[in-house]
Amino acid sequence: QKEVEQNSGPLSVPEGAIASLNCTYSDRGSQSFFWYRQYSGKSPELIMFIYSNGDKEDGRFTAQLNKASQYVSLLIRDSQPSDSATYLCAVAQGGSEKLVFGKGTKLTVNP
Amino acid sequence: DAGVIQSPRHEVTEMGQEVTLRCKPISGHNSLFWYRQTMMRGLELLIYFNNNVPIDDSGMPEDRFSAKMPNASFSTLKIQPSEPRDSAVYFCASSLGGELREQYFGPGTRLTVT
């Protein structure tokens, strides 16, 4: 059974701090990795995707991938109260469109 | 551009009734996915289609669940008969298709079976 694990949190950070969200996956054949943000009562919203080892930056968000360690993370710099949400990590095996989601980490940014 | 459209947004029904959920993918997207989200199990893939053909239905919980995609712009997920344990939020998502493709989610249908 392919698994994606996330710390359920809640993770609480002060406004302006860096929030670090982590995800591990079991399938070594995984090739694509996604971070979704989900506000309470809303649908998942894609915020980052990464396919290669290393870092990928988009505004205040940085995704980091280490395939050898089967680890992917999301850093949110200068965290804002509007970043308070549940962050879902999703992983697809190579050659497949199927995404396996973690159960998410709830982030709270305190003003 | 319109995103993924789902209807209804909320559905309350009694156990034993048939429920049909509807989805219109983003125009030009070739793959469509049905997910179910609950607090206990998180977000689970039920079935996905590519070019209107079901590719993987291994996540469909049992024969009470069925899904169709008669054309590129419409899909249904049907539950017959419905049970209280089917209560969840059902999401439809679409993508351009193929690996390394991002999926975009619709607003979801919140189903309550009493």
Side-chain angles (χ1 to χ4, degrees):
Chain A
Q1 179 73 9
K2 301 176 178 59
E3 295 182 345
V4 176
E5 300 288 340
Q6 294 182 254
N7 187 326
S8 63
L11 173 65
S12 184
V13 301
E15 184 174 355
I18 296 175
S20 178
L21 305 163
N22 304 314
C23 173
T24 59
Y25 59 95
S26 63
D27 184 6
R28 285 197 170 273
S30 299
Q31 293 292 327
S32 50
F33 307 85
F34 304 86
W35 284 99
Y36 285 82
R37 177 176 63 198
Q38 187 174 25
Y39 293 113
S40 180
K42 301 296 185 181
S43 60
E45 174 193 8
L46 180 66
I47 54 172
M48 288 287 288
F49 56 90
I50 186 167
Y51 303 141
S52 303
N53 274 330
D55 295 359
K56 179 181 179 182
E57 186 175 317
D58 183 3
R60 296 186 297 112
F61 299 99
T62 298
Q64 299 175 316
L65 175 61
N66 184 326
K67 289 186 179 180
S69 299
Q70 296 176 243
Y71 178 91
V72 58
S73 64
L74 179 70
L75 301 178
I76 306 175
R77 290 181 301 281
D78 188 24
S79 295
Q80 302 297 309
S82 58
D83 295 326
S84 297
T86 295
Y87 289 79
L88 301 170
C89 173
V91 176
Q93 187 182 18
S96 172
E97 297 186 73
K98 290 178 62 172
L99 292 184
V100 178
F101 281 81
K103 291 193 174 180
T105 298
K106 185 173 183 179
L107 171 67
T108 300
V109 180
N110 300 303
Chain B
D1 289 341
V4 176
I5 298 172
Q6 291 187 248
S7 64
R9 296 293 303 277
H10 301 273
E11 177 80 32
V12 180
T13 190
E14 292 184 347
M15 181 174 62
Q17 296 299 307
E18 177 179 296
V19 175
T20 299
L21 311 181
R22 297 172 176 79
C23 176
K24 176 179 170 57
I26 294 171
S27 178
H29 279 193
N30 297 320
S31 291
L32 182 141
F33 307 81
W34 282 103
Y35 289 90
R36 178 173 66 177
Q37 187 174 41
T38 62
M39 288 293 292
M40 287 294 294
R41 299 176 66 90
L43 194 60
E44 301 174 289
L45 178 67
L46 300 177
I47 184 171
Y48 83 94
F49 297 83
N50 181 261
N51 291 324
N52 313 335
V53 176
I55 303 300
D56 190 325
D57 65 353
S58 60
M60 295 287 261
E62 48 197 276
D63 292 345
R64 297 185 297 106
F65 286 69
S66 62
K68 295 181 180 180
M69 191 164 186
N71 57 61
S73 58
F74 183 67
S75 177
T76 60
L77 178 68
K78 184 176 295 186
I79 308 172
Q80 166 64 15
S82 58
E83 297 183 3
R85 60 191 167 126
D86 301 330
S87 298
V89 181
Y90 291 81
F91 290 105
C92 176
S94 71
S95 78
L96 286 169
E99 58 181 303
L100 307 186
R101 296 296 194 181
E102 307 85 66
Q103 295 181 23
Y104 297 90
F105 281 73
T109 296
R110 182 173 294 276
L111 173 64
T112 303
V113 183
T114 61

